Amino acid sequence: MPEALRARIAAVSAHLPSRYRTLDEIRVKITETGGYAPPPGLLEDLTGVRGVHVHEDGENASDLAVAAARSALGEAGLKIGDVGLLLFASTSQDLVEPATAHLVATKLGASCPVFDVKNACNSFLNAMEVAASFIETGRYRTVLIACGEPSTLATRWHAPDREDLLRALPGYTASDAGAAMVLTAGPAGEDDPGILALRFVSNSAAWEACTVAGGGSMHHLSVHDDHTTLRLNGDLRQGALDVLPRILDTAGEELEAARAGAFAFIAFHQIAMPQYREVIDLFSLPEDRCLPAVAEHGNCAAASLPLQLVKAREADRIESGDLVAMIGLASGFSFGLALVRW
């Protein structure tokens, strides 16, 4: 029989632009547009976020992804020629066509097959599922996932009134980042490292709750502010609650293990501090195994999960042999869970 294979994480990296914009600076910029002027401290009180990272002028999603990818390849001790498949996984993109993966590949000097994986803030987690499936079947032995998120481009600066400001609130914690992960084939023994399980659930009826509408066929090449910025149109939290029974049916055993402290670290997608606390309460997660990266770094979209892994590793909260959980929550609505032995 052929050897059973498991996708193992050979490297994970994150790239944070050096420019940093505090929420008070965001407040000032909103005020200067002549619309609703939020009082000092309001944005910080509502979000619990100090500020966000901002990409350089002219820097694209592919550039952020390339910076992280080069770091991940270096950490893994690999060259771009060692990569069998390259996946670009982000909410953002350089162009509608072609796939941004081609731009990333060109900048890295890759000649392997490439394609994009796109599912809002679960894009990176879904790319891990695709990569793991290919590796387990022996199709590819080394897969590079690259993510670039110039999310601040979706910030709405002019809010006519307080209601519009609250609808645009997710855009004020949107932060720019790049992230990358190298997955390689390894043995699938009981104690071997790698991706142990992946679970996904969707509630697509909730797709309208949070949107960036411009650029698709519904609002083709629109320059209307409402269509090019991140906007809350409904209760995204309700989309999660509606699908919660299916989440528990699909991933209940794994979530129970998380509650019981079986995992050294639990990363989950974060958009603001109130949502961070809601997720901990919703799934009864042990807070000492989590990391509120959003407070300092903002909502890094699909780069959020790998960024948390990097921060946890830098703090020596993840060591070889540890069990790690990654929980993805994305507009649409979709839920994802990855269990990994480090």
Side-chain angles (χ1 to χ4, degrees):
M1 293 181 60
E3 177 191 16
L5 298 173
R6 178 178 295 158
R8 61 180 295 272
I9 299 177
V12 61
S13 68
H15 169 73
L16 296 172
S18 59
R19 291 168 64 185
Y20 193 78
R21 180 184 291 148
T22 66
L23 257 67
D24 189 61
E25 291 172 328
I26 290 173
R27 179 193 66 81
V28 170
K29 193 168 181 178
I30 294 170
T31 301
E32 288 173 348
T33 66
Y36 175 74
L42 177 65
L43 297 180
E44 292 89 338
D45 290 344
L46 290 173
T47 67
V49 174
R50 188 177 81 83
V52 300
H53 300 274
V54 183
H55 66 282
E56 298 294 335
D57 295 341
E59 194 172 31
N60 292 305
S62 60
D63 298 310
L64 296 170
V66 165
R70 285 179 173 146
S71 177
L73 288 170
E75 180 187 328
L78 297 174
K79 297 179 180 179
I80 191 60
D82 299 319
V83 174
L85 174 69
L86 189 156
L87 303 175
F88 178 77
S90 295
T91 68
S92 308
Q93 57 192 22
D94 281 15
L95 305 163
V96 173
E97 187 178 351
T100 303
H102 289 291
L103 285 81
V104 174
T106 298
K107 292 172 182 180
L108 289 173
S111 58
C112 60
V114 308
F115 60 90
D116 287 3
V117 177
K118 189 175 180 66
N119 184 22
C121 295
N122 267 349
S123 298
F124 201 97
L125 204 59
N126 284 123
M128 289 177 62
E129 181 185 31
V130 172
S133 299
F134 277 133
I135 287 173
E136 289 167 5
T137 60
R139 177 88 179 199
Y140 299 105
R141 294 193 65 86
T142 302
V143 180
L144 171 63
I145 301 172
C147 171
E149 297 285 24
S151 303
T152 54
L153 293 175
T155 302
R156 180 177 182 176
W157 295 112
H158 179 73
D161 51 42
R162 182 185 172 88
E163 182 179 351
D164 280 294
L165 180 87
L166 294 178
R167 286 179 180 171
L169 191 63
Y172 303 131
T173 65
S175 189
D176 300 342
M181 179 178 286
V182 177
L183 293 167
T184 57
E190 183 177 354
D191 296 322
D192 288 322
I195 297 175
L196 305 179
L198 291 151
R199 305 282 186 267
F200 291 91
V201 176
S202 294
N203 177 21
S204 299
W207 72 266
E208 290 183 280
C210 186
T211 60
V212 179
S217 61
M218 292 174 68
H219 301 284
H220 182 56
L221 301 179
S222 171
V223 294
H224 193 285
D225 194 38
D226 278 355
H227 296 157
T228 58
T229 57
L230 191 59
R231 178 184 172 92
L232 275 178
N233 306 307
D235 188 353
L236 187 59
R237 181 177 183 270
Q238 190 59 49
L241 293 175
D242 288 345
V243 79
L244 183 59
R246 288 171 53 208
I247 291 173
L248 296 177
D249 285 344
T250 302
E253 183 178 339
E254 291 83 1
L255 289 170
E256 182 57 38
R259 296 186 191 106
F263 296 95
F265 184 70
I266 304 167
F268 60 86
H269 180 59
Q270 302 169 15
I271 61 175
M273 283 304 296
Q275 176 263 354
Y276 172 84
R277 297 187 181 97
E278 282 184 357
V279 171
I280 286 178
D281 292 341
L282 182 65
F283 295 119
S284 300
L285 301 177
E287 192 164 359
D288 63 339
R289 306 295 172 93
C290 304
L291 178 70
V294 68
E296 182 69 19
H297 302 293
N299 174 8
C300 295
S304 171
L305 294 179
L307 172 63
Q308 290 173 60
L309 295 182
V310 169
K311 291 297 177 182
R313 193 182 55 185
E314 290 174 350
D316 294 325
R317 295 179 63 177
I318 300 177
E319 298 179 353
S320 178
D322 282 345
L323 290 175
V324 173
M326 301 170 66
I327 299 174
L329 307 159
S331 57
F333 169 86
S334 66
F335 165 90
L337 174 67
L339 306 183
V340 179
R341 188 183 301 280
W342 209 256

